[in-house]
């Protein structure tokens, strides 16, 4: 499962009639050399149309050929679109959208709407980071760690049960030993008392 | 007079001529008949014709609204759906048709009252008027049904187109809409048998419209729901891990007593073996120190045997 592109738009503003592209990131290594440019243009076009057609504070997921496009228009004029294949979990895509928008606002929060150009290199890093949804998304990471922990715990319980069995065997054997040693002592004592002559 | 209500209402010259001629007739018949009866019948006739003319006008207005509605229903864009306007219009048209029904019924009753005092031609005339009004109302209701049918088909097509783009979260929607559109068609079949009475509920159409509007909000809900579900799962796993830990602690505590037993047993064994060893040593010492005695005892025995043999 992978992400093809991640685009950030400003879909509403002072003198903005249609969404303005702020930053994009592409992962086009799976496409052939000659297809890369068309894929990029297609992604931008689809993202633009979706950003235009989505209402405020609305999340949408649209299926287009083999890919699914997730879009979220936020109330503070930002809109992010993620295009990924259909195996990529929806929740992780939307968490990526949230993270991108938060990072962007961290850098440009005060000056948003004033500047012309917003260079935002982290978008590519985020895109690469989220290629593996289990690693990047905190919720799924937590869940995976917890699952591993349960497996380890189950292993531990099995080992403890085996230990219990061994301990029982040890108890029996040590009882036997102690009885035998008692008999040995008794016999030795008896020898001493009565067999003094022979 | 019947033709007036289907033609363009601005052109009312023929109506004027007919009214003028009818008034002339009334004036001419006034001289031959009694004044009271004439006045009664005239007022009743005027009332009747006033009511019928009102009904005719309203039917025409309803027809105009219906044409607006059909234009709106034919619009098939996926995003800009004028559902609100369509709902308002259908509601208005439905109410108007119902009032027109009621008015027509009252007019019929009035006409049946009047037949006792009128001659044959006027009764025929009034019956014809009432019949034609009924026919016009039936035509409007039929076209209304047709428009509603078109609207449901459009909704179905939109839903199909939407389902091509969207997730399977809208899967149960299509099932829901199928049942509601079936309800509409069933109700319309019912109303076909009764041309002057509408029996179906437009609330069904409103329900389908509401379903389409809430599809977008369902997606945001399902995103939040998925997050909530994941967090709930994590909570469950943590709880399970807690129970596993407590079971582990129980097992280990039980094994603790067993270990104490083992310890005790091994200590006893050690003691016993040490004591046994001591006894054995004593025994061996005693045996070792006893040898001289054994020699002495054997020597005495041998002496006795020698004596025994010497005597024998």
């Amino acid at each position: 499962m992978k992400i093809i592109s991640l685009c950030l738009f400003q879909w509403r503003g002072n003198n903005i009639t249609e969404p303005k592209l702020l930053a994009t990131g592409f992962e086009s290594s799976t496409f052939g050399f000659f297809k890369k440019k068309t894929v990029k243009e297609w992604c931008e076009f689809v993202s633009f149309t979706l950003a235009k057609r989505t209402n405020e504070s609305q999340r949408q997921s649209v299926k287009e050929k083999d890919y699914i496009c997730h879009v979220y228009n936020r109330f503070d004029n930002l809109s992010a679109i993620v295009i990924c294949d259909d195996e990529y979990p929806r929740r992780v895509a939307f968490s990526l959208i949230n993270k991108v928008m938060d990072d962007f606002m961290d850098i440009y929060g005060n000056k948003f709407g004033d500047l012309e150009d917003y260079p935002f290199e982290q978008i590519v890093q985020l895109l690469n980071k989220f290629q593996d949804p289990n690693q990047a998304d905190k919720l799924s990471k937590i869940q995976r760690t917890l699952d591993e922990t349960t497996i380890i715990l189950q292993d531990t319980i099995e080992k403890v049960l085996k230990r219990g069995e061994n301990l029982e065997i040890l108890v029996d054997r040590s009882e036997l030993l102690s009885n035998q040693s008692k008999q040995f002592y008794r016999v030795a004592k008896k020898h001493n008392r009565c067999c003094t002559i022979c | 007079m019947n033709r007036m209500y289907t033609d363009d209402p601005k052109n009312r010259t023929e109506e004027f001529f007919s009214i003028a001629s009818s008034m002339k007739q009334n004036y001419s018949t006034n001289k031959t008949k009694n004044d009271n009866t004439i006045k009664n019948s005239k007022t009743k006739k005027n009332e009747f014709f006033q009511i019928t003319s009102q009904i005719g006008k309203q039917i025409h207005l309803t027809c105009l609204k219906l044409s607006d509605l059909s234009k709106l229903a034919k619009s098939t864009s996926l995003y800009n759906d004028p559902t609100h306007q369509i709902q308002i219009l259908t509601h208005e048209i439905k109410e108007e048709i119902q009032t027109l029904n009621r008015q027509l019924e009252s007019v019929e009753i009035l006409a049946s009252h009047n037949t006792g005092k009128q001659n044959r031609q006027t009764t025929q005339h009034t019956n014809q008027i009432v019949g034609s009004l009924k026919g016009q109302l039936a035509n409007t209701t039929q076209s209304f049904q047709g428009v509603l049918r078109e609207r449901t088909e459009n909704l179905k097509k939109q839903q199909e187109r939407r389902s091509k783009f969207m997730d399977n979260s809208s899967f149960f929607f299509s099932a829901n809409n199928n049942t509601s559109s079936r309800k509409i068609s069933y109700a319309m079949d019912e109303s076909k048998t009764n041309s002057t009475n509408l029996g179906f509920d437009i609330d069904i159409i409103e329900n389908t419209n509401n379903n389409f509007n809430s599809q977008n909000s369902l997606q945001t809900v399902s995103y939040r729901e998925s997050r909530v579900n994941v967090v709930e799962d994590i909570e469950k796993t943590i709880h399970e891990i807690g129970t596993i830990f407590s079971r582990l602690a129980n097992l280990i505590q039980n094994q603790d007593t067993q270990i104490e037993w083992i310890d005790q047993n091994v200590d006893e064994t050690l003691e016993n073996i040490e004591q046994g060893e001591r006894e054995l040593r004593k025994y061996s010492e005693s045996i070792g120190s006893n040898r001289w005695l054994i020699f002495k005892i054997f020597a005495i025995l041998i002496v006795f045997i020698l004596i025994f043999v010497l005597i024998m």
Side-chain angles (χ1 to χ4, degrees):
Chain A
M1 45 183 120
K2 54 185 172 55
I3 311 178
I4 308 288
S5 84
L6 167 63
C7 303
L8 196 61
F9 282 89
Q10 181 186 6
W11 66 278
R12 190 175 61 177
N14 296 329
N15 47 359
I16 290 181
T17 48
E18 43 184 42
K20 177 176 156 200
L21 183 61
L22 298 172
T24 58
F26 288 101
E27 171 60 41
S28 46
S29 54
T30 52
F31 301 106
F33 178 70
F34 297 104
K35 279 195 193 171
K36 277 189 193 180
K37 192 152 183 284
T38 45
V39 163
K40 190 168 166 172
E41 284 175 6
W42 176 79
C43 289
E44 278 185 8
F45 172 68
V46 166
S47 310
F48 177 79
T49 329
L50 276 178
K52 203 167 159 187
R53 293 265 175 104
T54 318
N55 301 326
E56 180 179 350
S57 297
Q58 189 187 28
R59 293 181 167 91
Q60 284 195 55
S61 301
V62 177
K63 190 164 163 62
E64 178 75 35
K65 293 181 202 161
D66 295 330
Y67 302 105
I68 302 189
C69 321
H70 305 282
V71 58
Y72 178 39
N73 277 10
R74 214 156 70 155
F75 52 89
D76 58 351
N77 305 340
L78 272 183
S79 157
I81 293 103
V82 168
I83 301 183
C84 47
D85 64 359
D86 42 9
E87 291 174 349
Y88 200 82
R90 195 160 166 264
R91 194 180 34 81
V92 181
F94 281 117
S95 70
L96 165 62
I97 285 178
N98 279 335
K99 192 155 175 14
V100 154
M101 290 208 259
D102 288 338
D103 284 348
F104 186 81
M105 282 313 245
D106 278 340
I107 301 177
Y108 292 111
N110 300 328
K111 311 172 241 167
F112 188 55
D114 300 334
L115 300 181
E116 271 303 314
D117 199 22
Y118 300 89
F120 186 50
E121 281 86 21
Q122 288 97 320
I123 200 168
V124 182
Q125 289 170 0
L126 273 178
L127 181 67
N128 288 330
K129 185 170 147 204
F130 269 78
Q131 284 295 343
D132 184 12
N134 291 326
Q135 272 302 321
D137 183 33
K138 288 208 185 106
L139 280 177
S140 44
K141 224 202 284 188
I142 290 174
Q143 194 154 33
R144 252 181 352 127
T145 342
L146 281 176
D147 287 339
E148 282 170 15
T149 318
T150 45
I151 291 175
I152 291 176
L153 273 180
Q154 282 171 2
D155 246 357
T156 318
I157 282 198
E158 273 186 39
K159 286 184 187 161
V160 165
L161 285 173
K162 265 193 207 165
R163 179 176 179 255
E165 281 173 30
N166 287 340
L167 281 178
E168 274 195 26
I169 292 174
L170 266 181
V171 166
D172 291 337
R173 283 199 188 154
S174 63
E175 256 190 69
L176 197 62
L177 252 187
S178 123
N179 287 338
Q180 281 178 341
S181 67
K182 264 192 208 155
Q183 269 205 345
F184 166 66
Y185 172 58
R186 247 184 266 135
V187 164
K189 216 169 167 190
K190 209 171 64 167
H191 263 293
N192 254 350
R193 232 180 298 138
C194 68
C195 305
T196 48
I197 304 171
C198 52
Chain B
M1 234 201 223
N2 297 333
R3 271 190 294 137
M4 308 307 160
Y5 306 108
T6 51
D7 288 347
D8 191 359
K10 288 179 192 157
N11 186 8
R12 300 182 70 170
T13 47
E14 292 181 2
E15 197 186 342
F16 174 68
F17 280 140
S18 65
I19 288 173
S21 58
S22 66
M23 289 200 67
K24 234 201 246 177
Q25 274 181 9
N26 273 340
Y27 188 67
S28 60
T29 52
N30 244 347
K31 293 178 187 173
T32 55
K33 287 193 182 171
N34 198 357
D35 280 345
N36 283 336
T37 53
I38 289 168
K39 267 191 197 161
N40 270 341
S41 62
K42 222 201 298 182
T43 49
K44 279 200 183 124
K45 264 190 247 173
N46 282 342
E47 243 184 68
F48 176 71
F49 288 132
Q50 272 176 12
I51 293 173
T52 47
S53 63
Q54 267 181 13
I55 290 176
K57 273 183 225 161
Q58 277 186 4
I59 288 179
H60 188 77
L61 288 171
T62 322
C63 270
L64 287 174
K65 274 193 193 170
L66 193 62
S67 62
D68 279 337
L69 176 67
S70 61
K71 265 186 233 160
L72 278 177
K74 277 181 190 144
S75 68
T76 57
S77 84
L78 204 58
Y79 288 99
N80 299 325
D81 213 25
T83 44
H84 193 56
Q85 289 170 313
I86 288 177
Q87 278 177 355
I88 292 173
L89 265 180
T90 46
H91 199 63
E92 281 175 11
I93 289 174
K94 182 188 169 198
E95 279 182 8
E96 278 174 13
I97 289 178
Q98 280 175 350
T99 49
L100 283 169
N101 260 334
R102 269 182 254 126
Q103 280 177 356
L104 256 188
E105 281 170 18
S106 62
V107 157
E108 259 190 81
I109 295 169
L110 192 66
S112 58
H113 277 316
N114 281 346
T115 45
K117 296 168 187 159
Q118 290 169 346
N119 53 9
R120 198 172 47 88
Q121 274 180 341
T122 42
T123 49
Q124 228 181 22
H125 188 60
T126 49
N127 286 339
Q128 266 185 358
I129 293 173
V130 167
S132 68
L133 282 178
K134 266 193 199 173
Q136 280 167 32
L137 191 60
N139 282 338
T140 42
T141 52
Q142 291 253 356
S143 45
F144 186 41
Q145 284 175 15
V147 163
L148 284 173
R149 235 177 272 136
E150 266 184 36
R151 170 89 185 127
T152 49
E153 279 180 19
N154 267 343
L155 283 177
K156 264 190 223 170
K157 276 182 206 159
Q158 272 188 11
Q159 179 59 20
E160 275 171 36
R161 255 182 279 152
R162 274 220 185 109
S163 64
K164 280 181 196 159
F165 298 136
M166 302 275 200
D167 271 346
N168 57 0
S169 60
S170 57
F171 185 66
F172 77 101
F173 261 151
S174 44
N176 205 2
N177 279 329
N178 278 337
T179 57
S180 50
S181 55
R182 259 186 274 133
K183 270 190 222 164
I184 292 173
S185 52
Y186 170 71
M188 284 206 280
D189 286 335
E190 258 189 22
S191 62
K192 264 187 207 164
T193 57
N194 206 352
S195 62
T196 53
N197 276 335
L198 277 180
F200 71 126
D201 205 8
I202 301 185
D203 294 338
I204 298 170
I205 303 178
E206 281 176 358
N207 275 340
T208 55
N209 289 336
N210 283 339
N211 279 343
F212 284 121
N213 281 335
S214 62
Q215 197 176 19
N216 276 329
S217 51
L218 195 81
Q219 289 203 336
T220 48
V221 164
S222 72
Y223 164 66
R224 286 189 208 133
E225 272 185 5
S226 70
R227 282 177 78 99
V228 164
N229 284 340
V230 164
V231 171
E232 277 181 5
D233 282 343
I234 289 178
E235 211 184 308
K236 263 188 235 168
T237 7
I238 292 179
H239 194 66
E240 273 177 29
I241 288 179
T243 49
I244 291 177
F245 263 119
S246 58
R247 268 173 56 194
L248 198 63
N250 242 347
L251 281 174
I252 292 183
Q253 208 174 26
N254 288 339
Q255 290 172 0
D256 194 26
T257 52
Q258 284 178 328
I259 290 178
E260 280 180 6
W261 265 112
I262 293 173
D263 211 17
Q264 252 183 29
N265 286 334
V266 166
D267 280 342
E268 279 179 19
T269 316
L270 185 65
E271 259 188 55
N272 288 333
I273 288 177
E274 275 181 0
Q275 280 177 348
E277 202 197 340
R278 250 182 280 137
E279 298 291 322
L280 274 180
R281 244 183 244 281
K282 263 196 242 171
Y283 182 60
S284 72
E285 274 177 25
S286 66
I287 292 286
S289 58
N290 250 351
R291 238 169 243 167
W292 289 112
L293 277 172
I294 291 173
F295 272 133
K296 285 181 196 165
I297 291 167
F298 267 124
I300 292 171
L301 265 174
I302 287 168
V303 165
F304 266 117
I305 287 169
L306 279 172
I307 293 171
F308 201 59
V309 166
L310 281 174
I311 292 172
M312 290 299 282

